[in-house]
Amino acid sequence: MRSLDIPQDPHLLVGLATGDDAGVYKISEDLALIQTIDFITPVVDDPFLFGQIAAANALSDVYAMGGEPLMAMNVVCFPTCKLEMEVLEKILAGGLGKVKETGALLVGGHSVDDLELKYGLAVTGAIHPQEVVTNAGARPGDLLFLTKPLGLGIVATAIKGGLASPAVAEEAGSAMASLNREASRQMRKRGVHACTDVTGFGLVGHGLEMAKASGVTLEIELERLPIIEGVLEYSSMGLIPAMAYENQESFRSYVDYVRDPGELEILLYDPQTSGGLLIALPSDKAQGFPWPCIGRVVKGDGRFRVV
Ligand code: CO
Ligand code: CO
Ligand code: CO
């Protein structure tokens, strides 16, 4: 992205420069549009569930900015020579259900014939220009919350290998298919300072984007991390997505380990599909927030500390 000539415009409240979840464009004093797109390859076998997950994943970037989705369009790459149209119908039905759940409207889409199946949404959302939640507002003293368990990439790898137990696959599937809507609404009520959703770059990658954009360091308590039950069994069997190692390679020089993370280390780098929101709340408003507190924001210069 650095090679691009990054556009500047007074209407553009959030653009390419800060690696945030979506673009935000101010239309008037009380309305800004949020624009985002996301599409993915299958992470589960069931096409209806995959449609739900891909849609929840795409809609999440609107919730991460503190907004509400207005409209969505399907983005489809489908191998017509390999798969029945019935599969596509189920995927689209799963996605449509999620769009409806948000209250947004599905208004169209586009598909191409492709060797590998991919599905997702382009989403337009709305927000008040003064209430945009970026990844740049975290302050020392804030408490950090994570709204979905880690290990979704490892479970997806176990599912692909045919080795995931039905119970674990179901827990991961329902976590991925669930919307970040309620967490987004709750954080706004509590005067959230910063938020991002945890997706392909894992907790460390997206946490570092927040730390750098905010000019702080994130301190994470290993023992407080929510993880999918049974996931360590799969990671110990080597069922770890390649991207977890790529993330580790890219980000490990920004991570300080105060204690040995042991077998939990790989979870910090595990790429999440439709992961939870990482939320920085002012500590005086964080009491009783209904998701796990995983650490705090401290003074620093864009690092990630594991204690
Ligand atoms: Co995002
Ligand atoms: Co995204
Ligand atoms: Co078209």
Side-chain angles (χ1 to χ4, degrees):
M1 289 294 180
R2 223 162 290 156
S3 58
L4 294 179
D5 185 13
I6 292 181
Q8 307 254 3
D9 186 300
H11 291 101
L12 191 64
L13 303 182
V14 179
L16 277 173
T18 51
D20 219 314
D21 297 295
V24 183
Y25 186 94
K26 183 173 167 182
I27 303 266
S28 68
E29 287 313 307
D30 54 11
L31 179 64
L33 285 186
I34 301 172
Q35 193 69 57
T36 184
I37 181 169
D38 222 313
F39 57 110
I40 58 174
T41 54
V43 287
V44 292
D45 297 325
D46 177 50
F48 185 82
L49 180 61
F50 169 58
Q52 291 183 309
I53 291 168
N57 180 60
L59 290 155
S60 173
D61 282 323
V62 173
Y63 290 125
M65 305 304 291
E68 291 286 341
L70 292 177
M71 291 187 290
M73 301 186 103
N74 286 326
V75 182
V76 180
C77 303
F78 194 78
T80 43
C81 51
K82 277 198 288 192
L83 293 172
E84 303 282 329
M85 286 314 279
E86 202 179 280
V87 173
L88 181 57
E89 281 161 24
K90 285 180 181 157
I91 292 170
L92 297 181
L96 176 59
K98 280 290 147 185
V99 173
K100 282 183 174 165
E101 193 182 329
T102 68
L105 303 170
L106 186 76
V107 295
H110 186 74
S111 63
V112 292
D113 207 322
D114 197 355
L115 289 176
E116 193 179 14
L117 171 60
K118 301 169 199 82
Y119 170 64
L121 300 171
V123 186
T124 303
I127 192 166
H128 192 289
Q130 253 127 49
E131 289 168 11
V132 178
V133 183
T134 68
N135 60 9
R139 294 174 216 167
D142 288 351
L143 294 179
L144 293 167
F145 293 82
L146 181 63
T147 68
K148 290 187 191 179
L150 296 172
L152 300 169
I154 292 166
V155 176
T157 306
I159 292 172
K160 275 191 193 124
L163 291 162
S165 83
V168 174
E170 203 200 306
E171 187 190 343
S174 75
M176 289 188 280
S178 72
L179 295 172
N180 282 322
R181 176 178 54 180
E182 192 52 30
S184 178
R185 289 180 179 172
Q186 295 271 346
M187 75 179 184
R188 278 178 271 160
K189 282 189 197 153
R190 289 166 184 261
V192 54
H193 283 165
C195 177
T196 189
D197 56 352
V198 177
T199 52
F201 296 132
L203 179 64
V204 169
H206 294 283
L208 279 171
E209 284 175 341
M210 180 184 285
K212 284 177 183 158
S214 303
V216 296
T217 285
L218 304 192
E219 189 177 274
I220 300 298
E221 290 183 46
L222 211 50
E223 269 156 20
R224 292 192 178 204
L225 286 179
I227 61 175
I228 298 267
E229 181 94 32
V231 75
L232 292 172
E233 192 186 320
Y234 302 136
S235 56
S236 71
M237 291 162 70
L239 296 168
I240 294 167
M243 201 171 163
Y245 294 115
E246 287 161 26
N247 288 339
Q248 191 173 34
E249 197 59 36
S250 311
F251 304 127
R252 66 159 32 124
S253 61
Y254 300 96
V255 181
D256 302 305
Y257 292 106
V258 174
R259 53 171 281 193
D260 176 12
E263 61 180 359
L264 292 172
E265 182 180 8
I266 200 67
L267 287 164
L268 299 168
Y269 301 100
D270 185 40
Q272 307 296 282
T273 296
S274 192
L277 299 182
L278 175 65
I279 298 171
L281 284 186
S283 61
D284 58 334
K285 296 200 183 117
Q287 268 292 329
F289 194 62
W291 287 276
C293 178
I294 62 164
R296 64 190 59 77
V297 180
V298 297
K299 280 192 193 139
D301 53 353
R303 296 185 66 83
F304 194 99
R305 185 185 304 150
V306 179
V307 299

